[in-house]
Amino acid sequence: MDVRLVTDGGIEDRPIEELPELLGDAGNLVWVDIPSCDKEAVRVLAEVFCFHPMAVRACFERNRVPKVHAYPDHVFVILHAPERGRRGHVHYIELDRFVGRNYLVTVHGPINPAVEPEVALRETSSTGSASWPTARGSISRG
């Protein structure tokens, strides 16, 4: 699990232990990226963010269709991206998002076993197609 603080100067990696403090400062923009929804991720989603139990459950179950759920303090979105597989088969890569006033939480998967794990992490990886110089220019604190 990666905790990142987005500032005017760039993106800083922060330890998970600082998450409650970072979220407590309304001037911060915090991005939590969860590569796979394990027990620690479920704990953070449920106890630190206090997300609805059904939304947390959706993060560790495969969701066949996109969804949007609006809550009083955040929006939960399930989206899929197509990935070409062998012989033209299309696999869907799921990325769940919680978007609040001063945070973004991205949860990957569950990852289809037919797809390489790196593919599922491509959209949020610093070494993938969304490189940091590009991401810095596109993130707004407004």
Side-chain angles (χ1 to χ4, degrees):
M1 181 177 328
D2 298 314
V3 176
R4 298 178 176 124
L5 177 63
V6 181
T7 67
D8 292 334
I11 299 173
E12 303 171 16
D13 289 327
R14 300 305 274 271
I16 186 72
E17 297 79 21
E18 289 184 17
L19 185 55
E21 180 184 341
L22 293 170
L23 292 170
D25 184 344
N28 285 340
L29 177 57
V30 180
W31 173 22
V32 178
D33 185 47
I34 302 173
S36 64
C37 201
D38 57 15
K39 288 181 181 181
E40 176 64 7
V42 169
R43 184 194 69 76
V44 168
L45 296 173
E47 295 176 16
V48 176
F49 286 98
C50 301
F51 293 140
H52 192 281
M54 290 184 73
V56 172
R57 188 175 77 204
C59 290
F60 61 85
E61 293 179 349
R62 280 186 89 179
N63 297 282
R64 306 265 185 235
V65 296
K67 298 177 186 178
V68 176
H69 294 280
Y71 296 94
D73 61 342
H74 68 278
V75 176
F76 176 56
V77 181
I78 299 172
L79 292 176
H80 302 90
E83 179 67 25
R84 186 184 321 179
R86 291 181 174 200
R87 295 184 297 243
H89 184 80
V90 176
H91 300 284
Y92 290 100
I93 309 300
E94 183 174 329
L95 184 62
D96 303 332
R97 299 161 179 98
F98 294 90
V99 183
R101 185 165 183 80
N102 71 327
Y103 63 82
L104 167 66
V105 179
T106 50
V107 184
H108 301 263
I111 298 171
N112 184 328
V115 176
E116 293 295 323
E118 307 82 53
V119 171
L121 302 176
R122 177 175 44 213
E123 295 297 324
T124 60
S125 170
S126 62
T127 60
S129 61
S131 63
W132 291 127
T134 302
R136 283 186 191 142
S138 66
I139 295 177
S140 171
R141 294 182 70 183

